[in-house]
């Protein structure tokens, strides 16, 4: 990490939503490495719901299914913030493999007003944009595909 300006993390679970993904442990290791190398900024891709509830009946279902990974992400984010790092939390809706589109919506401090899912490439696009834009520092941004 030494010599870099920002860390970008897209860590997640490949074990399924019921498994402990140990993100809190990885977040602690990342925070320690950032402190040791004096890198101050991180973009952390989590999931919609990490900052609170997802509205509607389907949202309640998703929050229940993703309870463990969301708690794990929250613990990692808390560790990063406790280290005094500049944290941008990215909260995408369900990911899909459709082609990149930059026609997505960004919502601060609340659920996404976009559609149900968003292409992974669009999430990557947003994260690269956020790296370059200091206005996203210490924010939590929900992103979703613009409804048509």
């Amino acid at each position: 990490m030494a010599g870099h300006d920002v860390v970008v993390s897209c860590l997640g679970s490949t074990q399924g939503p019921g498994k402990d993904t140990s993100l809190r442990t990885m977040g602690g290791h990342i925070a320690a490495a950032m402190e040791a190398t004096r890198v101050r900024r991180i973009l952390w891709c989590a999931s919609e719901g990490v900052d609170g509830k997802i509205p509607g009946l389907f949202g309640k279902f998703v929050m229940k299914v993703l309870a463990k990974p969301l708690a794990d992400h929250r613990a990692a984010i808390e560790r990063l913030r406790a280290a005094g790092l500049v944290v941008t939390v990215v909260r995408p809706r369900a990911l899909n493999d459709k082609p990149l589109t930059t026609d997505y919506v960004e919502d601060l401090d609340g659920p996404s007003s976009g559609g149900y899912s968003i292409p992974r490439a669009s999430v990557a696009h947003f994260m690269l944009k956020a790296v370059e834009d200091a206005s996203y520092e210490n924010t939590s941004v929900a992103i979703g595909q613009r409804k048509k």
Side-chain angles (χ1 to χ4, degrees), residues 13 15-21 64-69:
S13 172
Q15 301 295 317
K19 304 286 185 180
D20 180 359
T21 61
K64 184 172 179 134
V65 169
L66 297 179
K68 287 183 181 180

Side-chain angles (χ1 to χ4, degrees), residues 90-108:
V90 182
R91 300 176 284 121
R93 288 246 159 141
L95 301 173
N96 65 51
D97 292 323
K98 293 181 180 175
L100 168 69
T101 175
T102 58
D103 190 25
Y104 49 81
V105 293
E106 304 170 19
D107 294 288
L108 296 172

Side-chain angles (χ1 to χ4, degrees), residues 48 89-92 105-113 140-144:
E48 185 173 34
V89 178
V90 182
R91 300 176 284 121
V105 293
E106 304 170 19
D107 294 288
L108 296 172
D109 303 319
S112 175
S113 60
S140 180
V141 185
I143 56 174

Side-chain angles (χ1 to χ4, degrees), residues 10-34:
C10 298
L11 295 171
S13 172
T14 59
Q15 301 295 317
K19 304 286 185 180
D20 180 359
T21 61
S22 301
L23 292 170
R24 68 190 76 214
T25 302
M26 289 185 269
H29 292 314
I30 291 169
M34 291 178 71

